[in-house]
Amino acid sequence: MQLSLKDDLPFVSITLVHNDRDVIIDDVLVDTGSSSTILAAHAVVAVGIEPDLNDILSVIRGVGGVETVYSRRIQAIEVGERRLKNVEIEIGAMDYGFPINGILGMDLLTRTGAVIDLNRLAIEFARLS
């Protein structure tokens, strides 16, 4: 799968599947410095994911600052031709001052054995999940 560079950062598009509905989410950063996968709240509303009173909020910290997120187990995420089922993601505002709809973190990158080839600007997946 091709990576696209925006401001020298690697981005992909993913498909999120939840409650048998799907949405394509563009501008998802491939980030080996992020331990978890995070998606923007506005990007997941299309498949019916919204916060509820029972959600447990967590605070995450990174280079982009501090953010409050909640977790949700979803049906699947598709990255290129790879489909990951029964995935837990974090959801937050993701207001970092530039267009970003998500972060594909190490949780999913390691689960799939992702290989990032910066010479070809490509990402491949070694393992089924």
Side-chain angles (χ1 to χ4, degrees), residues 8-11 17 37 39 45 47 49 54 58 73 80 86 96 98-99 103:
D8 292 325
L9 296 172
F11 285 86
V17 183
T37 296
L39 296 177
V45 170
V47 292
I49 298 175
N54 296 322
S58 300
R73 186 156 298 277
N86 192 29
Y96 299 148
F98 62 96
I103 295 172

Side-chain angles (χ1 to χ4, degrees), residues 81 91 123:
E81 296 181 7
I91 300 156
I123 185 169

Side-chain angles (χ1 to χ4, degrees), residues 1 3 30 32 109-110 112-118 120-127:
M1 168 177 208
L3 296 169
V30 176
T32 60
L109 293 172
T110 56
T112 60
V115 176
I116 301 168
D117 184 336
L118 296 177
R120 293 186 9 237
L121 289 178
I123 185 169
E124 297 172 358
F125 304 97
R127 290 193 292 267

Side-chain angles (χ1 to χ4, degrees), residues 73-77 82-88 105-114 125-129:
R73 186 156 298 277
I74 59 165
Q75 196 171 338
I77 287 181
R82 182 57 44 101
R83 182 180 181 104
L84 304 168
K85 297 178 182 177
N86 192 29
V87 175
E88 187 166 337
M106 286 297 289
D107 57 341
L108 298 186
L109 293 172
T110 56
R111 184 172 160 183
T112 60
F125 304 97
R127 290 193 292 267
L128 292 175
S129 179

Side-chain angles (χ1 to χ4, degrees), residues 23-82:
V23 63
I24 296 172
I25 302 175
D26 297 319
D27 298 324
V28 176
L29 177 67
V30 176
D31 188 353
T32 60
S34 178
S35 63
S36 60
T37 296
I38 308 162
L39 296 177
H42 70 270
V44 299
V45 170
V47 292
I49 298 175
E50 295 182 0
D52 68 42
L53 296 176
N54 296 322
D55 285 329
I56 297 172
L57 300 179
S58 300
V59 176
I60 58 172
R61 290 173 176 74
V63 174
V66 177
E67 181 161 9
T68 302
V69 298
Y70 64 95
S71 296
R72 191 70 88 236
R73 186 156 298 277
I74 59 165
Q75 196 171 338
I77 287 181
E78 296 175 3
V79 184
E81 296 181 7
R82 182 57 44 101

